[in-house]
Amino acid sequence: MFRSNKEFSQKYFPLFENAFGFAKRARQHNVDFSQAWYNIFKFEIKRLAVVFFLEIVIRSFMATFPIILSLVITRMDKSLFYLASIGYLSVYVVGSFVMHNYTIAVANLINSVYYSAVKFFLVVDPKFHVSRSSGQVISKVGRGSEAVESILDVFMFELSGALAGLLAVVIAIININFEIGIYAMISVILLCSVAVFNQILRVNIVTPAVIESEDNLKAAGVETLQQVNHIRSSFASNEQINKVRNLTSRFSSVQATKWLVGIFATNITRVLFVVSFMVVGTITLDKINENLLPLPIAIGLLGSFLTASTQIIFLGRAVERFSDRISRLIDLFDFIRSFGKQTYPVLD
């Protein structure tokens, strides 16, 4: 009922927009495509720095919380338990502040890249558009601007957060039991190395083919729609629709191959993770049997290792997304640099 009611949305959406104050903070920065792609983040560096620091703190606390809880239980102190619970609640409060700044920064950067790219193609000399496909331009602009959000999302909440959590857990385990901590550290380093290497290799093999296939499909789609404005459309429709059908089939094959290669790479990391957990778990059980490690602390230790190490499985996927989106953003920058130039004034 509400989804299709535009009047309902127009009535209440401004209330949320004004309450969060996003409209007042919206900015459209002028992106210089002659510079390196990562320079775009300087426009929102203050907000991004705050988000990065607080997210590191949050993820470190959450990763080690089972260990903290096990230490509290062994002391049987209710005041410490309540203090730990308040700390856990504070994570959600701080997290809301983090997301408020993050959403503003990301929205501004996405729209800045899109605005600057559209502005470039608007003012560049028309002769450079003659030999270029409009569909290819649309594809690269949309893909490049949307890549900004994924780059920041992966870096802030997956890569940095996961690595901070893993480091915090390893340090905590070493402080509790040095031998178990060393085995945990070796396992984490090995798993991270395998996960990252597999996904970077996957991106270098698959992403160029995905970009090319998607550009060709979007170019054909725009050409098909443009034919409506020409008399020849009635004669070329069959040929064009066959072209789109073939390109769609090709893109489906490339996309499915990309997903299956990712699943294969992730499964390798999962097998190694199970092996590493068995090793650390075996050593922990030995310490319990030797009365060198209290049972509650051992449970918290294994719980933290299990939670943190599970993130390694997704760490590889995060690296894949991160590398893939950087490739898409670089592709837009390279395309604009080689597209053409403006030799006479167009806009004030």
Side-chain angles (χ1 to χ4, degrees), residues 199-315:
Q199 296 299 343
I200 290 179
L201 183 63
R202 173 200 175 198
V203 168
N204 286 317
I205 294 174
V206 175
T207 298
V210 172
I211 291 176
E212 180 182 3
S213 179
E214 185 177 353
D215 283 346
N216 292 337
L217 178 59
K218 298 232 176 130
V222 173
E223 289 171 7
T224 302
L225 296 176
Q226 287 177 337
Q227 284 189 1
V228 176
N229 297 323
H230 300 283
I231 298 177
R232 69 183 180 89
S233 64
S234 59
F235 303 98
S237 295
N238 290 332
E239 177 184 350
Q240 192 66 22
I241 198 62
N242 288 331
K243 179 180 179 181
V244 173
R245 182 187 296 114
N246 293 333
L247 289 173
T248 302
S249 298
R250 173 59 183 164
F251 183 68
S252 297
S253 175
V254 171
Q255 192 79 308
T257 302
K258 171 187 173 183
W259 293 334
L260 288 174
V261 171
I263 293 172
F264 176 76
T266 302
N267 285 338
I268 295 176
T269 308
R270 285 173 176 164
V271 172
L272 292 176
F273 164 70
V274 173
V275 173
S276 66
F277 182 73
M278 290 175 63
V279 172
V280 174
T282 300
I283 298 172
T284 303
L285 290 174
D286 290 339
K287 297 299 179 182
I288 295 173
N289 292 329
E290 296 170 5
N291 294 321
L292 298 176
L293 192 65
L295 181 60
I297 295 180
I299 294 174
L301 185 149
L302 283 178
S304 289
F305 179 75
L306 181 64
T307 302
S309 296
T310 304
Q311 297 181 34
I312 299 176
I313 296 175
F314 303 103
L315 181 65

Side-chain angles (χ1 to χ4, degrees), residues 28-74:
Q28 290 178 334
H29 309 289
N30 289 311
V31 177
D32 185 357
F33 292 98
S34 65
Q35 297 182 357
W37 62 271
Y38 48 79
N39 282 326
I40 63 175
F41 301 113
K42 67 183 180 183
F43 298 117
E44 299 289 338
I45 190 64
K46 292 182 179 179
R47 284 196 178 95
L48 294 177
V50 170
V51 171
F52 177 78
F53 174 76
L54 293 178
E55 184 63 17
I56 293 295
V57 174
I58 290 173
R59 293 296 289 271
S60 299
F61 176 80
M62 295 297 288
T64 57
F65 188 74
I67 296 178
I68 295 173
L69 196 58
S70 67
L71 293 172
V72 169
I73 292 175
T74 55

Side-chain angles (χ1 to χ4, degrees), residues 163-178:
L163 291 175
L166 289 170
L167 181 61
V169 167
V170 169
I171 293 174
I173 294 175
I174 288 176
N175 287 328
I176 294 174
N177 188 282
F178 183 78

